[in-house]
Amino acid sequence: MKEQNQHCRKTSYKKVGYDLKLLIIDQIQNAQISINHASDKYQVSRASIYYWLKKYSTLEQKKQGMSKKDEIKKLKEKIEELEFVKDFQQDIIADMELITGVDMSKKSLPKTLADEIEKKKQNRLKENG
């Protein structure tokens, strides 16, 4: 007996308005849903969603007027700010360890950070004699 050939049905998708496109893109960019889940939920092809993501991101860059150089500069400034905060926090931990005599950093921080704090403590001890 021969099996009957089953025809593959092409999935039919509906047209999507601009507001719904933006909603879908926003949910994907905020990691609320995946592209596959959005495709199933809103009955839109994944290819369309990828196209919208590409189109939307360039549209968003034009809106913000931020070039790649500006974005890199902004990220470098953020890195400097975070490094300052990290150094400040390490200074506080080193001072507290010197005052209390308890090695908090070795127990609760990753080895690389604990080593940095230990160096700060040694420098403090040398400065204070």
Side-chain angles (χ1 to χ4, degrees):
M1 251 173 96
K2 280 189 172 181
E3 291 182 25
Q4 292 179 347
N5 287 340
Q6 292 183 350
H7 294 288
C8 294
R9 285 188 177 178
K10 186 176 181 181
T11 308
S12 61
Y13 297 109
K14 60 183 179 180
K15 292 196 176 201
V16 178
Y18 182 72
D19 291 337
L20 184 56
K21 288 178 187 178
L22 291 181
L23 174 71
I24 293 169
I25 299 304
D26 187 52
Q27 288 179 345
I28 292 169
Q29 288 182 334
N30 291 327
Q32 294 171 339
I33 60 174
S34 68
I35 292 175
N36 288 335
H37 183 70
S39 175
D40 293 339
K41 182 177 179 180
Y42 296 106
Q43 304 221 330
V44 178
S45 72
R46 287 189 310 260
S48 294
I49 294 174
Y50 281 113
Y51 174 77
W52 298 339
L53 280 167
K54 184 177 178 181
K55 184 176 179 180
Y56 179 77
S57 65
T58 57
L59 177 68
E60 194 64 28
Q61 278 184 342
K62 287 179 185 175
K63 277 185 188 175
Q64 293 176 350
M66 185 178 291
S67 68
K68 291 280 185 190
K69 287 181 182 179
D70 292 338
E71 190 173 352
I72 290 170
K73 182 180 176 184
K74 186 176 179 181
L75 289 171
K76 284 181 179 180
E77 289 172 357
K78 185 67 175 176
I79 289 170
E80 287 178 19
E81 177 186 335
L82 291 172
E83 285 177 346
F84 174 80
V85 169
K86 182 187 91 169
D87 286 340
F88 180 73
Q89 291 172 340
Q90 286 178 342
D91 287 339
I92 291 173
I93 292 171
D95 288 342
M96 288 303 296
E97 286 184 356
L98 287 172
I99 292 169
T100 62
V102 178
D103 286 335
M104 296 178 278
S105 61
K106 288 182 182 177
K107 295 177 185 174
S108 53
L109 292 176
K111 185 177 180 347
T112 54
L113 291 175
D115 291 344
E116 287 180 27
I117 291 172
E118 187 63 33
K119 287 178 186 175
K120 287 182 183 266
K121 279 178 26 181
Q122 296 302 324
N123 289 339
R124 293 253 198 287
L125 288 172
K126 287 179 185 175
E127 289 173 2
N128 295 333

